[in-house]
Amino acid sequence: MKYKKIVSTEKTPIFIGNSLLITPVFFDLLPNTGKLVLINDSSISSDFLEPLLLELQKRPTTLVHIPLEISETKKTRETKAGIENQLFAAGCGRDTTIVALGGGVLTDLVGFIAATYCRGVPLILCPSTILGMIDASIGGKTGVNTPYGKNLIGAFYPPKAIYMDISVLKGLPQTVFNDGLAELIKHAALTDKVLFEALLKTNPEALRGDFPLLVDMLETSARIKLKITEIDQLESGLRACLNFGHTIGHAIESAAKGRYAHGQSIIFGMITETVIAINKGLCTSETLTQLKSISQQYGFHIKAADLKASDLSAFLRHDKKNKENKIHCSVLSEVGKYWTNDQEYTISVSLEECFDALKEISIF
Ligand SMILES: NC(=O)c1ccc[n+]([C@@H]2O[C@H](COP(=O)([O-])OP(=O)(O)OC[C@H]3O[C@@H](n4cnc5c(N)ncnc54)[C@H](O)[C@@H]3O)[C@@H](O)[C@H]2O)c1
């Protein structure tokens, strides 16, 4: 079944649907001259990739295809330079359009390449994970990691278009699919109680099998991120609310050294930061109960007995969201509403307050 929905904004249209990349919805936005570069995550299944390559080869542009074995540790300046050299060797100049097909790691990296190659060439993003679709591809952030931290070098570079072709998710391992749903839960918890309640009526396996429902939820979630990032394009205010769960979550992800995936770490973070908000009188324990229950329904752990709070200290002290040496968190005032006092979107938290709250997920 083909299904098409368009979320349109002035600058970057977002298309959501099935088998989109082999239809005119995609081809109509491709150039007719110059080089067309497809850079894809090599984990994308050949069932998806081969028909796409066949179509792209028929186009009047010269196709340069770069399949990339990519992971978080390879999202670096060195990998970027290697790809740029490949593009120069293939004769790519300013009349080049780059199509990035992959998860958030690949779209962040390739987005940054497009932002700087020949001082910027057109970019089309085709996210291939849940997180990539509802989060990483939206908002214009691109970048690479450094030994000093994640995503420290990059640029804001909006793509020409975003294509969320749901059929690419067929090959996605169930664990990766499920982990990405943490960001969907986050978007619902921040601004959309209706979406939160709709999520409570389903589960990851059912959602994967219910195509129209999945498309609807991805669209709603994408719209949430889009709305926030359009209001605050350069991250000077409102956009900070999207960091809900990410201050503690990133510290757990780093301290756990790979034992907890990103989405699972963010779930721990959302729970802990909600306890911080309760302790500061900013939200009620009902919000915590609702968050725990949705997390369990989506197969996430709500206890992490194998970490020590002290393991998190260094990461919390050096969090890039810290201001004047103070840790900052974005929290909820209730499910469906992020906390704000109309000027700020984060609260300042001491290390002791973090440690107290971490007891909730059994980190001592
Ligand atoms: N730019 C932003 O605003 C923003 C926002 C959030 C996250 N991010 C970044 O996103 C990255 C995480 O992205 P992710 O969760 O998509 O991880 P990922 O890109 O590493 O993909 C997860 C795994 O799935 C595989 N994969 C991807 N698509 C597949 C498919 N269709 N079929 C089979 N396998 C597939 C990948 O090879 C990888 O092993 C992080 O680097 C993070 O910094 C960026």
Side-chain angles (χ1 to χ4, degrees), residues 41 43-45 70-72 75 102-106 108 128-129 131-132 135-138 141-142 145 150-151 168-169 171-173 176 183 225 239 262:
D41 185 318
S43 301
I44 304 283
S45 78
I70 189 74
S71 61
E72 193 68 53
K75 187 178 139 182
V105 167
L106 183 129
D108 272 11
S128 69
T129 59
L131 182 139
D135 196 354
S137 63
I138 301 171
K141 278 193 200 172
T142 69
N145 302 328
K150 265 187 73 166
N151 299 326
V168 76
L169 297 174
L172 196 64
V176 181
E183 299 288 352
K225 170 117 194 223
R239 198 164 170 152
H262 177 75

Side-chain angles (χ1 to χ4, degrees), residues 259-260 268 301-309 311 358-364:
R259 288 201 304 287
Y260 294 120
F268 287 143
H301 302 289
I302 58 166
K303 296 273 174 204
D306 59 338
L307 282 169
K308 288 196 203 85
D311 294 343
L358 280 163
K359 287 178 187 151
E360 185 72 29
I361 56 167
S362 300
I363 299 183
F364 294 105

Side-chain angles (χ1 to χ4, degrees), residues 51-84:
L52 170 63
L53 282 172
L54 278 176
E55 291 298 331
L56 295 182
Q57 276 153 2
K58 288 183 204 157
R59 296 201 50 81
T61 40
T62 308
L63 179 67
V64 177
H65 179 212
I66 305 181
L68 206 61
E69 246 183 64
I70 189 74
S71 61
E72 193 68 53
T73 52
K74 292 189 196 156
K75 187 178 139 182
T76 60
R77 285 171 279 182
E78 292 74 20
T79 306
K80 178 175 182 276
I83 295 168
E84 286 159 350

